[in-house]
Amino acid sequence: MRIKRISAAVALAAAGALVISGCAPGGGADDSADDSGLVEGSSITAAWNQAFYSMNGNSSFGNATANNNINYLVLDGFNYYDNTPKLVKNDSFGSYELVSEDPLTVKYTVAEGKKWSDGTEIDAADLMLHWAALSRALDTPDFDPAEYTDPETGEFTDAFPTDVVYFDSGATEGSQFGLVTQTPEIGDDGRSITMTYDSPYVDWEVAYGTMGEILPAHIIAKKSLGIDDNAEAKQAVLDAIESDDAEALASLSAFWNNGFNFTEMPSDLELVTASGPYMISDFEADQFVTLTANPEYTGDNTPNIEEVTIRFIPDPLAAVQALENGEVDVIQPQATADITTALEGIEGITVATGVGGTYEHVDLQMANARNPENIFSNPDVRQAFMMTIPRQEILDTLIKPIIGDDAILRDSYIFVPGAEGYDESVANNGSAEYAEVDIEGAKALLAGAGISNPEVCILYASNNPRRVNEFALIQASANQAGFNVTDCGSTDWGGLLGTPGAYDASLFGWQSTSLSVTDWTANFVTGGINNLSFYSNPRIDEISQEISGEFDPAAQQELMMEADKILWEDFFGPTIYQFPEVTAISDRVEGIDSSILAPTIFWNTWDWAVTDGGSEE
């Protein structure tokens, strides 16, 4: 085994957008390759700790790393981040240009000849539907979907109104992509759209159409509007948007929300229509997804490997065993001390360790919670519960044995440790009050609020050993203060996050996906896609709008520090630690070099290759 360490200073400089963080053995490559460099018959198997369940990572239900690892490879887009990390323009898919700064106007054009895997052209219809979904500019005003969410699955129920236009992308009025309220203009070539922002937006370049996002408009129209012909379906999308046809848009939005959610290979293969270098070719529930090179793909990211299988292995020790047995070629498991010890005994692998771009935290549902009295609507109860979270004990017991002195608490909701502004914000945001457990203080707060023995049911990944141990430490500590912490752990935790009635608090990680200035706001702004707590603060909403149009770095930092302090003062829920990261790679493969940003190991899957010396017979 060879070991290399990820530089914590470099790793922790990344900040920005966040996403929820939670088969047969690979065969040897033969020597044949087509002109693109694809090696026929070649295969690689990777492992991930959570199963895929949605091909729509832009919905609140599907917004999870486990989904977006795969969506990134099957849905092409205008740009992506490499592992520097640096934003890379994907000109082979299409181009975008800043037409005007005042008003902010951007033109997106799909490159000529780009096709979906079924041979249908990728064009303005796809771009227009993506705009409608991400901007929510055509949504029915003031509609609240909360009562139509199934507490057992997290998906919308069959009772969801059929006359409501609602794209579940979490866009909010007056900030980010919610600023694009005017219907874009379609270019004469039918492959471009030009959109004008209502006001300047600092992160416009990563606001729209990055890899892993744009869904096939013709498939959505065919399934929701009952149209058989692909061209007619595309035109129906354009007609509905340009005429603001509420009836058609209601059907389109309903399918956009739920139609791409599946936990095994769908019988309707049109649902896996792809535009990226790979397409889903096989999917066994809770076991694996197999991706096969997309024959219609003509972009620059043409893969070397014909088939990539991603096995779902929640138990990190089982992932290590699979690597040792040659059943998988690369793993990036939830790291524990046992993992690092187990990897030390394996020959023929390379291991990289360090601090990752994900941070652990506890969310407290402040509305629509499980208890009839809505326990965390009371700020005293939120503060009391935060005072019981054994943050340092969790770090010392579960994280330091993995990465030693690099293990650090995360004391900011917004700034990443090591990034500019982190130390200054932490010194003033009030997080120091939660550096140590204060059981007596928590008891006093509950007594003052007239509350005794409040039940708090915590949602977490019950098949993740580290989370199981964290839950046990939190439960033991909080119960000492008079809380009755109960177990809402589930293997389906990802889909349940943000579901009214499913739990009171949740334990999970947020993983950085970009270097944008504003995307953190989606976690805290009223109605934001990542605001799973139903939290609402008018000043946070104002800051969200202000920072969207703020181009001065010093002013941006001041706004973020103000927001950070407000979140601690509102007892949003405690941050805990920055994730340790362990990546182990078999010597039979090359080209794998993980990124600090999601999708981490998968960011350049098209560059992966099987080495001659490692090929199996």
Side-chain angles (χ1 to χ4, degrees):
M1 178 188 74
R2 288 167 299 285
I3 299 176
K4 64 177 182 178
R5 293 191 63 78
I6 303 168
S7 168
V10 173
L12 297 181
L18 298 170
V19 68
I20 299 167
S21 159
C23 128
D30 72 23
D31 293 329
S32 61
D34 61 24
D35 293 339
S36 69
L38 182 71
V39 179
E40 296 179 6
S42 58
S43 65
I44 282 180
T45 303
W48 199 255
N49 60 34
Q50 184 185 357
F52 177 83
Y53 60 91
S54 178
M55 213 172 91
N56 185 357
N58 279 311
S59 70
S60 63
F61 177 79
N63 178 37
T65 300
N67 296 323
N68 290 334
N69 288 343
I70 293 168
N71 295 335
Y72 175 86
L73 296 172
V74 301
L75 299 173
D76 213 356
F78 291 100
N79 54 36
Y80 61 94
Y81 283 97
D82 65 16
N83 65 338
T84 311
K86 178 182 68 177
L87 189 66
V88 178
K89 290 185 177 181
N90 186 19
D91 292 329
S92 64
F93 172 77
S95 61
Y96 53 92
E97 61 175 312
L98 184 63
V99 177
S100 169
E101 292 185 354
D102 187 16
L104 178 61
T105 306
V106 186
K107 181 178 181 180
Y108 291 85
T109 304
V110 177
E112 190 171 359
K114 295 293 130 177
K115 295 181 180 180
W116 292 97
S117 55
D118 63 1
T120 304
E121 297 286 336
I122 303 173
D123 59 22
D126 303 299
L127 303 186
M128 287 289 277
L129 187 57
H130 192 54
W131 162 79
L134 262 64
S135 69
R136 297 181 57 201
L138 304 177
D139 277 17
T140 302
D142 303 320
F143 173 71
D144 183 358
E147 64 180 284
Y148 304 106
T149 304
D150 187 340
E152 298 297 321
T153 66
E155 295 183 89
F156 291 137
T157 66
D158 293 337
F160 198 93
T162 58
D163 59 348
V164 167
V165 181
Y166 183 78
F167 287 98
D168 185 34
S169 67
T172 55
E173 184 178 355
S175 64
Q176 299 180 291
F177 206 67
L179 292 168
V180 191
T181 59
Q182 302 176 48
T183 301
E185 296 181 3
I186 299 175
D188 293 340
D189 54 14
R191 291 182 287 106
S192 68
I193 66 171
T194 300
M195 57 181 65
T196 301
Y197 284 74
D198 300 336
S199 60
Y201 177 45
V202 64
D203 288 325
W204 66 267
E205 193 170 6
V206 290
Y208 175 89
T210 60
M211 282 180 57
E213 294 187 357
I214 301 173
L215 293 166
H218 65 292
I219 299 299
I220 295 172
K222 289 174 72 173
K223 306 306 173 185
S224 62
L225 302 179
I227 300 171
D228 294 328
D229 183 77
N230 290 347
E232 291 180 12
K234 280 183 171 290
Q235 188 59 49
V237 169
L238 296 177
D239 291 345
I241 292 173
E242 294 183 324
S243 65
D244 198 5
D245 182 342
E247 182 178 359
L249 288 169
S251 296
L252 289 168
S253 65
F255 194 87
W256 188 93
N257 293 335
N258 280 358
F260 293 94
N261 300 337
F262 45 85
T263 56
E264 61 184 357
M265 196 68 183
S267 57
D268 183 353
L269 296 183
E270 287 193 316
L271 295 181
V272 295
T273 301
S275 58
Y278 285 98
M279 56 189 298
I280 297 174
S281 57
D282 196 9
F283 182 9
E284 185 171 331
D286 298 318
Q287 298 297 316
F288 64 85
V289 162
T290 296
L291 307 177
T292 302
N294 178 2
E296 293 289 345
Y297 180 76
T298 57
D300 289 343
N301 298 326
T302 302
N304 297 315
I305 300 298
E306 184 172 37
E307 184 177 278
V308 175
T309 296
I310 302 172
R311 286 185 55 187
F312 312 132
I313 308 179
D315 185 338
L317 282 174
V320 172
Q321 188 64 58
L323 179 68
E324 184 172 20
N325 293 344
E327 298 167 8
V328 299
D329 302 298
V330 56
I331 64 174
Q332 195 174 69
Q334 293 272 325
T336 66
D338 290 341
I339 292 301
T340 55
T341 300
L343 288 172
E344 289 174 358
I346 302 177
E347 296 297 326
I349 65 171
T350 298
V351 178
T353 64
V355 182
T358 302
Y359 75 91
E360 192 83 333
H361 74 295
V362 177
D363 267 8
L364 309 179
Q365 277 204 356
M366 301 177 199
N368 298 303
R370 179 176 174 272
N371 291 332
E373 64 268 29
N374 187 19
I375 196 65
F376 284 130
S377 65
N378 187 322
D380 288 338
V381 180
R382 294 201 301 272
Q383 183 181 14
F385 191 69
M386 285 177 61
M387 294 168 75
T388 71
I389 304 298
R391 300 168 72 229
Q392 191 65 48
E393 183 181 8
I394 290 171
L395 187 78
D396 293 343
T397 304
L398 303 178
I399 309 304
K400 282 190 176 179
I402 306 170
I403 55 175
D405 292 339
D406 284 341
I408 52 176
L409 289 175
R410 165 92 174 221
D411 290 322
S412 171
Y413 297 100
I414 296 171
F415 293 92
V416 180
E420 185 176 359
Y422 176 82
D423 291 340
E424 185 177 354
S425 187
V426 168
N428 297 286
N429 64 12
S431 59
E433 296 182 24
Y434 307 96
E436 297 180 359
V437 168
D438 184 358
I439 299 299
E440 295 306 315
K443 287 181 178 179
L445 278 171
L446 290 179
I451 296 174
S452 61
N453 198 38
E455 180 183 355
V456 176
C457 200
I458 300 180
L459 174 68
Y460 65 96
S462 59
N463 53 0
N464 182 316
R466 191 168 74 198
R467 294 261 166 75
V468 170
N469 290 330
E470 286 181 67
F471 169 77
L473 291 172
I474 292 171
Q475 182 184 49
S477 180
N479 285 357
Q480 293 179 47
F483 287 96
N484 176 24
V485 175
T486 57
D487 194 336
C488 274
S490 171
T491 57
D492 298 321
W493 63 275
L496 292 172
L497 283 171
T499 301
Y503 60 93
D504 301 307
S506 53
L507 175 67
F508 66 100
W510 283 121
Q511 184 168 30
S512 296
T513 63
S514 88
L515 303 180
S516 65
V517 174
T518 62
D519 280 355
W520 61 268
T521 64
N523 290 29
F524 311 115
V525 68
T526 303
I529 188 173
N530 294 341
N531 186 347
L532 307 174
S533 302
F534 305 95
Y535 170 74
S536 181
N537 181 296
R539 179 54 188 155
I540 291 291
D541 294 348
E542 290 174 356
I543 291 173
S544 174
Q545 294 188 13
E546 290 174 21
I547 201 168
S548 286
E550 182 56 71
F551 289 79
D552 177 43
Q556 293 168 356
Q557 187 166 301
E558 288 295 326
L559 287 169
M560 290 190 287
M561 286 194 293
E562 181 185 354
D564 202 22
K565 186 175 182 180
I566 291 171
L567 292 166
W568 284 100
E569 291 174 344
D570 281 351
F571 319 116
F572 181 85
T575 57
I576 305 180
Y577 58 82
Q578 206 71 29
F579 265 41
E581 189 166 283
V582 176
T583 305
I585 305 167
S586 166
D587 287 354
R588 73 172 291 267
V589 301
E590 61 185 9
I592 301 175
D593 193 0
S594 187
S595 171
I596 191 68
L597 301 177
T600 62
I601 55 175
F602 298 104
W603 79 268
N604 70 331
T605 302
W606 48 82
D607 289 331
W608 294 3
V610 176
T611 62
D612 291 338
S615 297
E616 299 172 351
E617 296 182 357

